Amino acid sequence: MPVRMDRIRAAGSSRLTAGVAGAALMGLAVSVVGGYEGVRYKAYLPTPNDVPTICFGETRGVRMGDTATPAQCRDMLGQGLKDFAAAIEVCMVSPQTIPAKTYVASLSLAYNIGQTAFCRSTVLRNLNAGKWRDACDAFRAWNKQAGRVLQGLVNRREDERRLCLEGLQ
């Protein structure tokens, strides 16, 4: 069955929706997150302990058997990134001061682990304290699913950490 786009909520405003700078951040975020997530047009379980997923890692409202077109998947990724940006910015003291690549790396992490986990994380605590290098290093803690280290998550976190640190140069 086709995925129902009305299951995906609308985003509030965020750095990703703020003019030319927002468009540049959105382009980087689409490239980073889309590259990590890959794309599938039929709902699947990424790992045995996971939730139904479709397109570029979209899980909200997805049911096994759902299908999507390439255009729907691109729309879902863009909307998902806007939603996650708006959601995590609620937890951030001053999102505008976070360097662009550090912000995108943080958005990628949040997209993967969820807003609640991100907003409770050491990554966010360090970002809010202006300890950006410590925030980047804290990405490494998010390499497990159901208590088991997954090499794919180790690799992703190292890539996100590297991007995060690039933002500080």
Side-chain angles (χ1 to χ4, degrees):
M1 81 177 55
V3 71
R4 291 182 39 210
M5 295 301 285
D6 64 338
R7 293 187 210 153
I8 310 300
R9 66 181 170 79
S13 64
S14 72
R15 279 183 73 178
L16 293 184
T17 61
V20 174
L25 273 179
M26 176 61 97
L28 179 58
V30 165
S31 174
V32 169
V33 174
Y36 290 136
E37 296 291 344
V39 64
R40 293 225 191 147
Y41 303 113
K42 184 174 180 182
Y44 68 103
L45 296 175
T47 63
N49 297 318
D50 223 326
V51 296
T53 303
I54 199 165
C55 296
F56 294 97
E58 181 62 64
T59 60
R60 298 170 299 166
V62 177
R63 297 183 188 124
M64 293 306 293
D66 284 352
T67 60
T69 66
Q72 286 175 313
C73 288
R74 286 188 301 275
D75 289 347
M76 272 189 255
L77 177 59
Q79 188 63 53
L81 289 169
K82 289 176 189 174
D83 291 347
F84 273 92
I88 67 172
E89 285 186 18
V90 169
C91 304
M92 293 176 167
V93 172
S94 185
Q96 298 299 330
T97 65
I98 299 169
K101 288 183 179 180
T102 304
Y103 178 89
V104 170
S106 300
L107 178 58
S108 176
L109 176 66
Y111 190 90
N112 188 243
I113 69 173
Q115 177 228 348
T116 301
F118 180 82
C119 287
R120 293 179 178 162
S121 73
T122 302
V123 172
L124 179 72
R125 280 192 296 279
N126 284 321
L127 288 172
N128 283 341
K131 298 178 180 179
W132 293 328
R133 185 167 302 281
D134 291 342
C136 297
D137 289 339
F139 276 60
R140 290 177 164 155
W142 294 93
N143 63 357
K144 298 174 190 74
Q145 182 191 47
R148 294 188 55 189
V149 173
L150 297 180
Q151 190 60 48
L153 290 178
V154 170
N155 298 342
R156 180 173 179 163
R157 297 305 167 239
E158 283 303 316
D159 288 347
E160 288 167 337
R161 178 180 172 272
R162 197 168 14 263
L163 179 64
C164 185
L165 290 169
E166 282 178 21
L168 307 182
Q169 298 174 6

